[in-house]
Amino acid sequence: MPSVPVVIRVGLVLLVVAAAIYDLRFRRIPNWVNVSGIILGFGLNALLFQLSGTAKAGEGMLLAMAVYLPLYLLRGMGAGDVKLMAAIGALVGPGNWFQIFIATALLGGAAAGFFALIKGRLTDTLCNLYFLLKDLICLRAPYRTNPQLDFRSAASLSLPHGVLIALGSCVFLASLFAGDKGLSVIISKFFTGIF
C-alpha cells in the first residue's frame, strides 16, 4: 500500500476522535464532522497529489459507501457511520480504507461478542446471528422478522460504531509504523491463504 502522508494521518486522527467522542456521548455522529472529513479528504488529496489524489479520494469514498450503505439499508447501523466511513475513504483512498474496514470489522466482532457475554445475551446474540444470515440468504430484510436486528429498536444490543471505526483507524495507523509486518501484509497473507 502507498505511504500515507503525515498531514492525512493527522486529519484521520482528528476526524475519528471527534466522531468517537460524539458517538459515545450522544450515540450519533453529526453531519458537520462527516462533511468536514469529506472536504478535508478531497482537499488534502488534491493539494498533495493533484488530479490523481482527487480520483483516489473519490474511489475511497465510493468504496466505503458501496460497503456500508447496504448495512444502513438493512438497519444494521446509522447513517452517520456510513458517512464517517465515506469521509475516511476520501482521506485515505480505497486500499487503505479497506485495511481500516477489516480492522474495524475484526474489532467490532470481538467487542460485540464481549459485550453480549457481559450483558448475559451471548446465546441470544448467536441465535440472532443465525437468523440474520438465514434472512439474508433468503433475500429478506432481517429487521422485519426480528426487531432485535434493527439498531433503532430498544430491544437491540448495540455498540457505538463510531468508536469501533476510530479504533480500527488507530490500528491501521499503528500498523504503518510496523513496516514489513504492517496490516496490509497480514491481510494479504490471510487472503492468500484462503484462496
Side-chain angles (χ1 to χ4, degrees):
M1 287 295 133
S3 178
V4 179
V6 173
V7 69
I8 290 180
R9 294 179 194 194
V10 170
L12 178 61
V13 168
L14 293 174
L15 174 67
V16 298
V17 166
I21 289 169
Y22 270 92
D23 206 13
L24 268 175
R25 189 157 182 204
F26 303 109
R27 296 305 295 254
R28 60 182 292 281
I29 302 169
N31 284 335
W32 70 264
V33 170
N34 295 323
V35 171
S36 298
I38 291 171
I39 292 169
L40 188 64
F42 275 94
L44 288 176
N45 279 297
L47 183 67
L48 296 170
F49 306 109
Q50 291 75 39
L51 190 56
S52 67
T54 305
K56 182 180 89 165
E59 291 168 1
M61 185 177 80
L62 290 175
L63 176 62
M65 301 268 306
V67 172
Y68 265 64
L69 190 58
L71 299 173
Y72 166 73
L73 294 174
L74 291 171
R75 297 188 187 177
M77 66 183 50
D81 301 321
V82 177
K83 292 180 263 187
L84 175 60
M85 279 305 236
I88 291 171
L91 266 168
V92 300
N96 292 324
W97 178 85
F98 187 72
Q99 292 181 61
I100 292 170
F101 166 68
I102 295 293
T104 300
L106 293 174
L107 288 169
F114 180 73
F115 190 57
L117 185 63
I118 295 297
K119 291 286 188 177
R121 291 181 54 182
L122 186 60
T123 304
D124 288 344
T125 300
L126 293 174
C127 288
N128 285 341
L129 182 60
Y130 167 76
F131 289 115
L132 175 115
L133 293 173
K134 182 179 169 189
D135 282 346
L136 290 175
I137 289 170
C138 295
L139 301 175
R140 289 189 303 251
Y143 67 88
R144 290 180 186 240
T145 56
N146 185 347
Q148 289 184 357
L149 298 175
D150 184 346
F151 82 97
R152 294 180 268 191
S153 170
S156 72
L157 187 62
S158 64
L159 294 168
H161 194 63
V163 174
L164 296 171
I165 292 171
L167 291 173
S169 298
C170 290
V171 166
F172 165 74
L173 289 171
S175 75
L176 294 177
F177 294 107
D180 290 349
K181 299 184 189 322
L183 192 58
S184 62
V185 172
I186 294 167
I187 291 170
S188 65
K189 284 184 181 179
F190 174 77
F191 282 111
T192 303
I194 289 176
F195 301 110

